[in-house]
Coordinates of all heavy atoms in Angstrom, one line a residue:
M1 N 27.3 31.3 163.0 CA 26.3 30.7 163.7 C 25.4 30.1 162.6 O 24.9 30.7 161.7 CB 25.4 31.6 164.6 CG 24.5 30.9 165.6 SD 23.5 32.3 166.3 CE 22.0 31.3 166.5
K2 N 25.0 28.7 162.8 CA 24.2 28.1 161.8 C 22.9 28.0 162.4 O 22.7 27.5 163.7 CB 24.8 26.8 161.5 CG 25.9 27.0 160.3 CD 26.4 25.7 159.9 CE 27.4 25.9 158.7 NZ 28.0 24.6 158.4
I3 N 21.8 28.2 161.7 CA 20.3 27.9 162.2 C 19.7 27.0 161.2 O 20.0 27.1 160.0 CB 19.6 29.3 162.3 CG1 19.6 30.1 161.0 CG2 20.1 30.1 163.5 CD1 18.7 31.2 161.1
P4 N 19.0 26.0 161.8 CA 18.2 25.0 160.9 C 17.2 25.7 160.2 O 16.6 26.7 160.6 CB 17.8 24.0 161.9 CG 17.6 24.8 163.1 CD 18.6 25.9 163.1
K5 N 16.7 25.0 159.0 CA 15.5 25.5 158.3 C 14.2 25.2 159.0 O 13.3 26.0 158.9 CB 15.5 24.7 157.0 CG 16.3 25.5 156.0 CD 16.0 24.9 154.4 CE 17.0 25.6 153.6 NZ 17.0 24.8 152.2
S6 N 14.1 24.1 159.7 CA 12.8 23.9 160.5 C 13.2 23.2 161.9 O 14.3 22.6 161.9 CB 11.9 23.0 159.6 OG 12.6 21.7 159.5
K7 N 12.4 23.4 162.8 CA 12.6 23.0 164.1 C 11.3 22.6 164.7 O 10.3 23.4 164.5 CB 13.2 24.2 164.9 CG 14.0 23.6 166.1 CD 14.6 24.9 166.9 CE 15.4 24.6 168.2 NZ 15.7 25.8 168.8
K8 N 11.3 21.7 165.6 CA 10.2 21.3 166.4 C 10.2 22.2 167.7 O 11.1 22.2 168.4 CB 10.1 19.8 166.8 CG 8.8 19.2 167.0 CD 8.6 17.8 166.5 CE 7.2 17.5 166.4 NZ 6.9 16.1 166.5
R9 N 8.9 22.8 167.8 CA 9.0 23.9 168.8 C 7.6 23.8 169.4 O 6.6 23.5 168.6 CB 9.3 25.2 168.1 CG 9.9 26.2 169.1 CD 10.4 27.4 168.2 NE 11.0 28.4 169.1 CZ 10.4 29.3 169.7 NH1 9.0 29.6 169.3 NH2 10.9 30.3 170.4
Y10 N 7.4 24.4 170.6 CA 6.0 24.6 171.2 C 5.3 25.7 170.5 O 5.8 26.9 170.5 CB 6.1 24.8 172.7 CG 4.9 25.0 173.4 CD1 4.0 23.8 173.7 CD2 4.4 26.1 173.8 CE1 2.8 23.9 174.2 CE2 3.1 26.3 174.4 CZ 2.3 25.2 174.6 OH 1.0 25.4 175.2
C11 N 4.1 25.5 170.0 CA 3.3 26.6 169.5 C 2.3 27.0 170.6 O 1.5 26.2 171.0 CB 2.6 26.0 168.3 SG 1.5 27.3 167.6
K12 N 2.1 28.4 170.9 CA 1.4 28.8 171.9 C 0.0 28.9 171.5 O -1.0 29.0 172.3 CB 1.8 30.1 172.5 CG 1.9 31.2 171.6 CD 2.4 32.5 172.3 CE 2.6 33.7 171.4 NZ 3.1 34.8 172.1
F13 N -0.2 28.9 170.1 CA -1.6 28.9 169.5 C -2.3 27.5 169.4 O -3.6 27.3 169.7 CB -1.6 29.6 168.2 CG -0.9 30.9 168.1 CD1 0.4 31.1 167.7 CD2 -1.5 32.2 168.8 CE1 0.9 32.4 167.7 CE2 -1.0 33.4 168.8 CZ 0.3 33.4 168.3
C14 N -1.4 26.5 169.0 CA -1.9 25.2 168.9 C -1.9 24.5 170.3 O -2.5 23.5 170.5 CB -1.1 24.3 167.9 SG -1.1 25.1 166.3
K15 N -1.1 25.0 171.1 CA -1.0 24.6 172.5 C -0.3 23.1 172.4 O -0.7 22.2 173.3 CB -2.2 24.4 173.3 CG -2.5 26.0 173.7 CD -3.8 26.0 174.5 CE -4.2 27.5 174.9 NZ -5.4 27.7 175.4
K16 N 0.7 22.8 171.6 CA 1.4 21.7 171.5 C 2.6 21.9 170.6 O 2.8 22.8 169.9 CB 0.4 20.5 170.9 CG 0.1 20.7 169.5 CD -0.9 19.7 169.1 CE -1.3 19.9 167.7 NZ -2.3 19.0 167.2
A17 N 3.5 20.9 170.7 CA 4.7 21.0 169.9 C 4.6 20.8 168.4 O 4.0 19.6 168.1 CB 5.9 20.2 170.5
T18 N 4.8 21.6 167.5 CA 4.6 21.4 166.2 C 6.0 21.7 165.3 O 6.8 22.4 165.9 CB 3.5 22.2 165.5 OG1 3.8 23.6 165.9 CG2 2.2 21.7 166.1
E19 N 6.0 21.4 164.1 CA 7.1 21.8 163.2 C 7.0 23.1 162.9 O 6.0 23.6 162.4 CB 7.0 20.9 161.9 CG 8.3 20.8 161.2 CD 9.4 20.0 161.9 OE1 9.1 18.9 162.5 OE2 10.5 20.4 161.9
H20 N 8.2 23.9 163.0 CA 8.2 25.3 162.8 C 9.1 25.7 161.7 O 10.3 25.1 161.6 CB 8.5 26.2 164.0 CG 7.4 26.4 165.0 ND1 6.9 25.3 165.8 CD2 6.7 27.5 165.2 CE1 5.9 25.8 166.5 NE2 5.7 27.1 166.2
K21 N 8.9 26.6 160.8 CA 9.8 27.0 159.8 C 10.6 28.2 160.4 O 10.1 29.1 161.0 CB 9.0 27.6 158.5 CG 9.7 27.4 157.4 CD 8.9 28.0 156.2 CE 9.6 29.2 155.6 NZ 8.9 30.1 154.9
V22 N 11.9 28.1 160.3 CA 12.8 29.1 160.8 C 13.3 30.0 159.8 O 13.8 29.7 158.8 CB 13.9 28.4 161.5 CG1 14.9 29.4 162.2 CG2 13.7 27.3 162.5
S23 N 13.1 31.4 160.0 CA 13.6 32.4 159.1 C 14.1 33.5 159.9 O 13.7 33.9 160.9 CB 12.4 32.8 158.1 OG 11.3 33.2 158.9
Q24 N 15.0 34.3 159.2 CA 15.5 35.5 159.7 C 14.7 36.7 159.4 O 14.3 36.8 158.4 CB 17.0 35.7 159.2 CG 18.0 35.0 160.0 CD 19.4 35.5 159.6 OE1 19.7 36.5 160.1 NE2 19.9 34.8 158.5
V25 N 14.6 37.6 160.5 CA 13.8 38.8 160.2 C 14.9 39.8 159.8 O 15.9 40.1 160.4 CB 13.1 39.3 161.5 CG1 12.4 40.6 161.2 CG2 12.1 38.2 161.9
K26 N 14.7 40.4 158.6 CA 15.5 41.5 158.0 C 15.3 42.8 158.8 O 14.2 43.1 159.5 CB 15.4 41.7 156.6 CG 15.6 40.5 155.7 CD 17.1 40.5 155.4 CE 17.7 39.2 155.2 NZ 17.1 38.2 154.4
S27 N 16.4 43.6 158.9 CA 16.4 44.7 159.7 C 15.2 45.9 159.2 O 14.8 46.6 160.1 CB 17.7 45.6 159.6 OG 18.0 45.8 158.3
G28 N 14.8 45.7 157.9 CA 13.7 46.7 157.6 C 12.4 46.4 158.3 O 11.7 47.3 158.6
S29 N 12.1 45.1 158.4 CA 10.8 44.6 159.0 C 10.9 44.3 160.5 O 10.0 43.8 161.1 CB 10.3 43.5 158.4 OG 11.2 42.4 158.4
K30 N 12.2 44.9 161.2 CA 12.3 44.5 162.5 C 11.4 45.5 163.4 O 11.4 46.7 163.0 CB 13.7 44.7 162.9 CG 14.2 43.9 164.0 CD 15.7 44.1 164.1 CE 16.3 43.5 165.3 NZ 17.8 43.7 165.4
R31 N 10.9 45.0 164.4 CA 10.1 45.7 165.2 C 11.1 46.5 166.1 O 12.3 46.4 166.1 CB 9.4 44.9 166.2 CG 7.9 44.7 166.0 CD 7.1 44.2 167.1 NE 6.7 42.9 166.9 CZ 6.3 42.0 167.7 NH1 6.4 42.5 169.1 NH2 6.0 40.9 167.6
G32 N 10.6 47.5 166.8 CA 11.3 48.3 167.8 C 12.0 47.4 168.8 O 11.3 46.5 169.3
T33 N 13.2 47.7 169.2 CA 14.0 47.0 170.1 C 13.7 47.4 171.4 O 14.1 46.5 172.4 CB 15.6 47.0 169.8 OG1 15.9 48.3 169.6 CG2 15.7 46.3 168.5
L34 N 13.2 48.5 171.8 CA 13.1 49.1 173.0 C 11.6 48.7 173.7 O 10.7 48.8 172.9 CB 13.4 50.4 173.1 CG 14.8 50.9 172.8 CD1 14.9 52.3 173.0 CD2 15.8 50.1 173.7
K35 N 11.6 48.4 174.9 CA 10.4 48.4 175.5 C 9.9 49.6 175.8 O 10.8 50.6 175.9 CB 10.4 47.5 176.9 CG 10.7 46.1 176.6 CD 9.6 45.2 177.0 CE 9.7 43.7 176.5 NZ 10.0 42.9 177.4
W36 N 8.6 50.0 176.2 CA 8.1 51.3 176.6 C 9.0 52.0 177.7 O 9.3 53.2 177.5 CB 6.7 51.1 176.9 CG 6.0 52.5 177.1 CD1 5.6 53.3 176.1 CD2 5.9 53.3 178.3 NE1 5.1 54.5 176.7 CE2 5.3 54.6 178.0 CE3 6.2 53.1 179.6 CZ2 4.9 55.5 178.9 CZ3 5.8 54.0 180.5 CH2 5.3 55.2 180.2
G37 N 9.1 51.3 178.6 CA 10.0 51.7 179.8 C 11.3 52.2 179.4 O 11.8 53.2 179.9
S38 N 12.0 51.4 178.6 CA 13.3 51.8 178.0 C 13.3 53.0 177.2 O 14.2 53.8 177.2 CB 13.8 50.6 177.2 OG 13.8 49.4 177.9
I39 N 12.2 53.2 176.3 CA 12.0 54.4 175.6 C 12.0 55.6 176.6 O 12.6 56.6 176.3 CB 10.9 54.3 174.7 CG1 11.0 53.2 173.7 CG2 10.5 55.7 173.9 CD1 9.8 52.8 173.0
Q40 N 11.2 55.5 177.6 CA 11.1 56.6 178.5 C 12.5 57.0 179.1 O 12.9 58.1 179.3 CB 10.0 56.3 179.6 CG 8.7 56.1 179.2 CD 8.2 57.1 178.4 OE1 8.2 58.3 178.8 NE2 7.7 57.0 177.2
R41 N 13.2 56.0 179.5 CA 14.5 56.1 180.1 C 15.4 56.8 179.1 O 16.3 57.6 179.4 CB 15.2 54.8 180.6 CG 16.4 54.9 181.2 CD 16.8 53.5 181.9 NE 18.2 53.7 182.1 CZ 19.2 53.2 181.5 NH1 19.0 52.8 180.2 NH2 20.4 53.4 181.9
A42 N 15.3 56.2 177.7 CA 16.2 56.8 176.7 C 15.9 58.3 176.4 O 16.7 59.0 176.4 CB 16.1 56.0 175.4
L43 N 14.6 58.8 176.6 CA 14.2 60.2 176.3 C 14.8 60.9 177.6 O 15.4 62.1 177.3 CB 12.7 60.2 176.4 CG 11.9 59.7 175.2 CD1 10.4 59.7 175.5 CD2 12.3 60.6 174.0
K44 N 14.8 60.5 178.7 CA 15.3 61.4 179.9 C 16.8 61.5 179.8 O 17.3 62.5 180.2 CB 15.0 60.5 181.2 CG 13.5 60.9 181.9 CD 13.5 60.5 183.2 CE 12.3 61.2 183.9 NZ 12.2 60.9 185.2
R45 N 17.5 60.5 179.3 CA 18.9 60.5 179.1 C 19.3 61.1 177.8 O 20.6 61.3 177.7 CB 19.6 59.1 179.2 CG 19.3 58.4 180.6 CD 20.0 57.1 180.7 NE 21.5 57.3 180.4 CZ 22.4 56.5 179.9 NH1 21.9 55.4 179.5 NH2 23.6 56.8 179.9
S46 N 18.4 61.5 177.1 CA 18.6 62.0 175.6 C 19.6 61.1 174.9 O 20.6 61.6 174.4 CB 19.0 63.5 175.7 OG 20.4 63.6 176.2
V47 N 19.2 59.8 174.8 CA 20.0 58.9 174.1 C 19.7 59.2 172.6 O 18.7 59.6 172.2 CB 19.5 57.5 174.3 CG1 20.1 56.5 173.4 CG2 20.0 57.1 175.8
P48 N 20.8 59.2 171.6 CA 20.7 59.4 170.3 C 19.5 58.6 169.6 O 19.4 57.4 169.9 CB 22.0 59.1 169.7 CG 22.9 59.1 170.8 CD 22.2 58.9 172.0
G49 N 18.8 59.3 168.8 CA 17.8 58.4 168.1 C 16.4 58.5 168.8 O 15.5 57.9 168.4
T50 N 16.4 59.2 169.8 CA 15.1 59.3 170.6 C 14.7 60.8 170.8 O 15.5 61.7 170.9 CB 15.1 58.6 172.0 OG1 16.1 59.3 172.8 CG2 15.4 57.2 172.0
G51 N 13.3 60.9 171.1 CA 12.8 62.3 171.4 C 13.1 63.3 170.4 O 13.0 63.0 169.2
N52 N 13.1 64.6 170.6 CA 13.0 65.7 169.7 C 14.5 65.7 169.1 O 15.4 66.2 169.7 CB 12.8 67.1 170.5 CG 12.5 68.2 169.5 OD1 12.8 68.1 168.5 ND2 12.0 69.3 170.1
K53 N 14.6 65.2 167.9 CA 15.9 65.0 167.3 C 16.6 66.3 166.7 O 16.3 66.7 165.6 CB 15.7 64.0 166.2 CG 15.5 62.6 166.8 CD 15.1 61.7 165.6 CE 14.5 60.4 166.1 NZ 13.8 59.6 165.2
N54 N 17.2 66.9 167.6 CA 18.1 68.1 167.2 C 17.2 69.3 166.6 O 17.7 70.2 165.9 CB 19.0 67.7 166.1 CG 20.5 67.4 166.9 OD1 20.7 67.8 167.9 ND2 21.4 66.9 166.0
R55 N 16.0 69.3 167.1 CA 15.2 70.4 166.6 C 15.1 71.4 167.5 O 15.6 71.3 168.6 CB 13.7 69.9 166.2 CG 13.8 68.9 165.1 CD 12.6 68.4 164.8 NE 12.5 67.4 163.7 CZ 12.5 66.0 163.9 NH1 12.0 65.7 165.1 NH2 12.7 65.1 162.9
W56 N 14.4 72.6 167.2 CA 14.3 73.8 167.9 C 13.7 73.4 169.3 O 12.9 72.7 169.4 CB 13.6 74.9 167.4 CG 14.4 75.5 166.2 CD1 14.1 75.5 164.9 CD2 15.5 76.3 166.4 NE1 15.0 76.1 164.1 CE2 15.9 76.7 165.0 CE3 16.2 76.8 167.4 CZ2 17.0 77.6 164.7 CZ3 17.4 77.7 167.1 CH2 17.7 78.0 165.8
G57 N 14.3 74.1 170.5 CA 13.5 73.8 171.7 C 14.1 72.8 172.5 O 13.5 72.4 173.5
S58 N 15.2 72.1 172.1 CA 15.8 71.1 172.7 C 17.3 71.0 172.5 O 17.8 71.6 171.6 CB 15.2 69.7 172.5 OG 15.7 69.2 171.2
K59 N 17.9 70.6 173.4 CA 19.5 70.4 173.3 C 19.7 69.2 172.4 O 19.0 68.3 172.3 CB 20.0 70.1 174.7 CG 20.1 71.2 175.7 CD 20.6 70.8 177.0 CE 20.6 71.9 178.0 NZ 21.0 71.6 179.3
P60 N 20.8 69.4 171.7 CA 21.2 68.4 170.8 C 21.6 67.0 171.4 O 22.1 67.1 172.5 CB 22.4 68.9 170.0 CG 23.0 70.1 170.8 CD 21.8 70.5 171.6
A61 N 21.4 65.9 170.8 CA 21.6 64.6 171.4 C 23.1 64.4 171.3 O 23.8 65.0 170.5 CB 21.0 63.6 170.6
K62 N 23.6 63.6 172.2 CA 25.0 63.2 172.2 C 25.4 62.5 170.9 O 24.6 61.7 170.4 CB 25.2 62.3 173.4 CG 25.2 63.0 174.7 CD 25.3 61.8 175.8 CE 24.7 62.4 177.1 NZ 24.4 61.4 178.1
P63 N 26.7 62.7 170.5 CA 27.2 61.9 169.4 C 27.0 60.4 169.5 O 27.3 60.1 170.7 CB 28.5 62.3 169.2 CG 29.0 62.9 170.5 CD 27.7 63.4 171.1
K64 N 26.8 59.8 168.4 CA 26.5 58.3 168.5 C 27.8 57.5 168.6 O 28.7 58.0 167.8 CB 25.7 57.9 167.3 CG 25.0 56.5 167.4 CD 24.0 56.2 166.3 CE 23.3 54.9 166.7 NZ 22.4 54.7 165.6
R65 N 28.0 56.6 169.4 CA 29.1 55.8 169.5 C 29.1 54.7 168.6 O 28.2 53.9 168.6 CB 29.2 55.3 171.0 CG 30.5 54.7 171.3 CD 30.6 54.5 172.8 NE 31.5 53.4 173.0 CZ 31.3 52.1 173.6 NH1 29.9 51.8 173.8 NH2 32.1 51.2 173.8
T66 N 30.0 54.7 167.6 CA 29.9 53.7 166.6 C 31.2 52.9 166.4 O 32.1 53.1 167.0 CB 29.8 54.4 165.1 OG1 30.8 55.4 165.0 CG2 28.5 55.0 164.9
G67 N 30.9 51.7 165.9 CA 32.1 50.8 165.7 C 32.4 50.1 167.0 O 33.6 49.7 167.2
A68 N 31.7 50.0 168.1 CA 31.9 49.4 169.3 C 31.9 47.9 169.3 O 32.7 47.3 169.8 CB 31.0 50.0 170.4
K69 N 30.9 47.5 168.5 CA 30.8 46.1 168.4 C 30.9 45.6 166.9 O 30.5 46.4 166.0 CB 29.5 45.6 169.0 CG 29.4 45.6 170.6 CD 28.2 45.1 171.1 CE 28.2 45.2 172.5 NZ 28.1 46.6 173.2
T70 N 31.4 44.3 166.8 CA 31.6 43.9 165.3 C 30.5 42.9 165.1 O 30.4 42.3 163.9 CB 32.9 43.3 165.2 OG1 33.0 42.1 166.3 CG2 33.9 44.2 165.2
S71 N 29.6 42.4 166.0 CA 28.7 41.4 165.8 C 27.2 42.0 166.1 O 27.1 43.0 166.6 CB 28.7 40.3 166.8 OG 28.7 40.8 168.1
K72 N 26.3 41.3 165.6 CA 24.8 41.7 165.6 C 24.0 40.7 166.2 O 24.3 39.4 166.1 CB 24.4 42.0 164.3 CG 24.7 43.5 163.8 CD 23.9 43.9 162.5 CE 24.3 45.3 162.1 NZ 24.7 45.4 160.8
K73 N 22.9 41.1 167.0 CA 22.1 40.1 167.5 C 21.2 39.5 166.4 O 20.7 40.3 165.5 CB 21.3 40.7 168.7 CG 22.0 41.0 169.9 CD 21.1 41.4 171.1 CE 22.0 41.4 172.3 NZ 21.1 41.9 173.4
T74 N 20.9 38.2 166.6 CA 20.0 37.5 165.7 C 18.6 37.9 166.0 O 18.2 38.2 167.1 CB 20.2 36.1 165.7 OG1 19.9 35.6 167.2 CG2 21.6 35.6 165.4
N75 N 17.7 37.8 164.9 CA 16.3 38.1 165.1 C 15.6 37.0 164.3 O 15.4 37.1 163.2 CB 16.0 39.5 164.7 CG 14.6 40.0 165.2 OD1 14.2 39.4 166.2 ND2 14.0 40.9 164.5
I76 N 15.3 36.0 164.9 CA 14.8 34.8 164.2 C 13.2 34.6 164.5 O 12.7 34.9 165.5 CB 15.4 33.5 164.6 CG1 16.9 33.6 164.4 CG2 14.7 32.2 164.1 CD1 17.8 32.6 165.1
K77 N 12.5 34.3 163.3 CA 11.1 34.1 163.3 C 10.7 32.7 163.2 O 11.3 32.0 162.3 CB 10.5 35.0 162.2 CG 9.0 35.1 162.3 CD 8.5 36.1 161.4 CE 8.3 35.6 159.9 NZ 7.6 36.6 159.1
Y78 N 9.8 32.1 164.1 CA 9.4 30.8 163.8 C 8.0 30.9 163.5 O 7.1 31.3 164.1 CB 9.5 30.1 165.2 CG 11.0 30.0 165.8 CD1 11.3 30.9 166.8 CD2 11.7 29.0 165.4 CE1 12.6 30.8 167.2 CE2 13.0 28.8 166.0 CZ 13.4 29.8 166.9 OH 14.7 29.7 167.4
T79 N 7.7 30.2 162.2 CA 6.3 30.2 161.7 C 5.8 28.6 162.0 O 6.4 27.7 161.3 CB 6.4 30.5 160.2 OG1 7.1 31.6 160.0 CG2 4.9 30.8 159.7
C80 N 4.6 28.6 162.5 CA 4.1 27.2 162.8 C 3.6 26.7 161.5 O 2.9 27.4 160.7 CB 2.8 27.3 163.8 SG 2.1 25.9 164.1
S81 N 3.9 25.3 161.2 CA 3.4 24.8 159.9 C 1.9 24.4 159.9 O 1.3 24.1 158.9 CB 4.2 23.6 159.6 OG 4.2 22.7 160.6
V82 N 1.3 24.4 161.1 CA 0.0 23.9 161.3 C -1.0 25.1 161.2 O -1.9 25.2 160.3 CB -0.2 23.2 162.6 CG1 -1.7 22.7 162.8 CG2 0.6 21.8 162.7
C83 N -0.7 26.2 161.9 CA -1.7 27.3 162.0 C -1.0 28.5 161.4 O -1.8 29.4 161.1 CB -2.0 27.6 163.5 SG -0.6 28.1 164.5
K84 N 0.2 28.4 160.8 CA 0.8 29.5 159.9 C 0.9 30.8 160.8 O 1.2 31.7 160.3 CB 0.1 29.9 158.8 CG -0.2 28.6 157.9 CD 1.0 28.2 157.1 CE 0.7 27.1 156.1 NZ 1.4 25.8 156.4
K85 N 0.9 30.7 162.2 CA 1.2 31.9 163.0 C 2.6 31.8 163.3 O 3.3 30.8 163.3 CB 0.2 31.8 164.2 CG -1.1 32.3 163.9 CD -1.9 32.2 165.1 CE -3.5 32.5 164.6 NZ -4.4 32.4 165.8
S86 N 3.2 33.1 163.5 CA 4.6 33.1 163.7 C 5.0 33.9 165.1 O 4.2 34.8 165.5 CB 5.3 33.8 162.7 OG 4.7 35.1 162.5
T87 N 6.1 33.5 165.7 CA 6.5 34.1 167.1 C 8.0 34.5 166.7 O 8.7 33.8 166.0 CB 6.3 33.1 168.1 OG1 6.9 31.9 167.7 CG2 5.1 33.1 168.7
L88 N 8.4 35.5 167.4 CA 9.8 35.9 167.3 C 10.6 35.3 168.5 O 10.0 35.2 169.4 CB 9.8 37.5 167.4 CG 9.4 38.2 166.1 CD1 9.5 39.8 166.4 CD2 10.3 37.9 164.9
Q89 N 11.8 35.1 168.3 CA 12.6 34.6 169.4 C 12.8 35.7 170.5 O 12.5 36.8 170.3 CB 14.0 34.2 168.9 CG 15.0 35.5 168.6 CD 16.4 35.1 168.3 OE1 16.9 35.6 167.5 NE2 16.7 33.9 168.9
K90 N 12.9 35.2 171.8 CA 12.7 36.1 172.9 C 14.1 36.9 173.1 O 13.8 38.1 173.1 CB 12.6 35.3 174.3 CG 11.1 35.1 174.6 CD 11.1 34.4 175.9 CE 9.6 34.2 176.3 NZ 9.6 33.6 177.6
K91 N 15.1 36.3 172.8 CA 16.4 37.1 173.1 C 17.3 36.7 172.0 O 17.5 35.6 171.5 CB 17.1 36.6 174.4 CG 16.8 37.5 175.5 CD 17.8 37.1 176.7 CE 17.4 38.0 177.9 NZ 18.2 37.6 179.1
G92 N 18.0 37.8 171.3 CA 18.9 37.5 170.2 C 20.2 37.0 170.8 O 20.7 37.4 171.9
I93 N 20.9 36.3 170.0 CA 22.3 35.8 170.3 C 23.3 36.5 169.5 O 23.1 36.7 168.3 CB 22.4 34.3 170.1 CG1 21.4 33.5 170.9 CG2 23.7 33.8 170.5 CD1 21.0 32.2 170.2
R94 N 24.4 37.0 170.0 CA 25.3 37.7 169.3 C 26.2 36.9 168.4 O 26.6 35.8 168.7 CB 26.3 38.5 170.2 CG 25.6 39.6 170.8 CD 26.8 40.7 171.2 NE 26.0 42.0 171.3 CZ 25.8 42.9 170.4 NH1 26.1 42.7 169.2 NH2 25.0 43.9 170.7
A95 N 26.2 37.2 167.1 CA 26.9 36.5 166.0 C 27.3 37.3 165.0 O 26.7 38.3 164.6 CB 26.0 35.3 165.6
K96 N 28.6 37.1 164.5 CA 29.1 37.8 163.4 C 28.3 37.6 162.1 O 28.2 38.3 161.3 CB 30.6 37.6 163.3 CG 31.4 38.3 164.3 CD 32.8 38.2 164.1 CE 33.7 39.1 165.1 NZ 35.2 38.9 164.9
K97 N 28.2 36.2 161.9 CA 27.6 35.8 160.7 C 26.5 34.8 160.9 O 26.8 33.7 161.7 CB 28.6 35.2 159.8 CG 28.3 35.1 158.3 CD 29.6 34.6 157.6 CE 29.2 34.3 156.2 NZ 30.4 33.6 155.5
V98 N 25.3 34.8 160.4 CA 24.2 33.8 160.6 C 24.0 33.2 159.2 O 23.7 33.7 158.2 CB 23.0 34.5 161.2 CG1 21.9 33.4 161.3 CG2 23.4 35.2 162.4
E99 N 24.1 31.9 159.3 CA 23.9 31.0 158.0 C 22.6 30.1 158.4 O 22.6 29.5 159.4 CB 25.1 30.1 157.7 CG 26.2 30.9 157.0 CD 27.5 30.1 156.8 OE1 27.2 28.9 156.4 OE2 28.5 30.5 156.9
Q100 N 22.0 29.8 157.2 CA 20.8 28.9 157.4 C 21.2 27.7 156.6 O 21.6 27.7 155.5 CB 19.6 29.5 156.8 CG 18.2 28.9 157.5 CD 17.0 29.8 157.2 OE1 17.0 30.6 156.3 NE2 16.0 29.6 158.1
E101 N 21.0 26.6 157.2 CA 21.5 25.2 156.7 C 20.5 24.9 155.7 O 19.3 25.1 155.8 CB 21.6 24.1 157.8 CG 22.8 24.3 158.6 CD 23.1 23.3 159.6 OE1 22.1 22.5 160.0 OE2 24.1 23.4 160.3
Ligands
ZN1 ZN1 0.5 26.5 165.6

């Protein structure tokens, strides 16, 4: 999947369409992927990586299912060239490889 370097997009801070710089968010600076409700559901189901992680007083989490998918969801950041504020894309698109033109 190829993504452009800049794109004209609506800026919710300027309240008009402006030029935006497109950049990828690296996994280190990525925000949590779950909404609050999803975290609560994950805790109830004891999904790996949530809650009391294998410590005393709780049952161990289920083993993690790995290697199920070969692609990753994109996480693209749009930075407005006028106000320099940035927004993240709403939904990631599955892609094996992401290239910036
Ligand atoms: Zn703006």
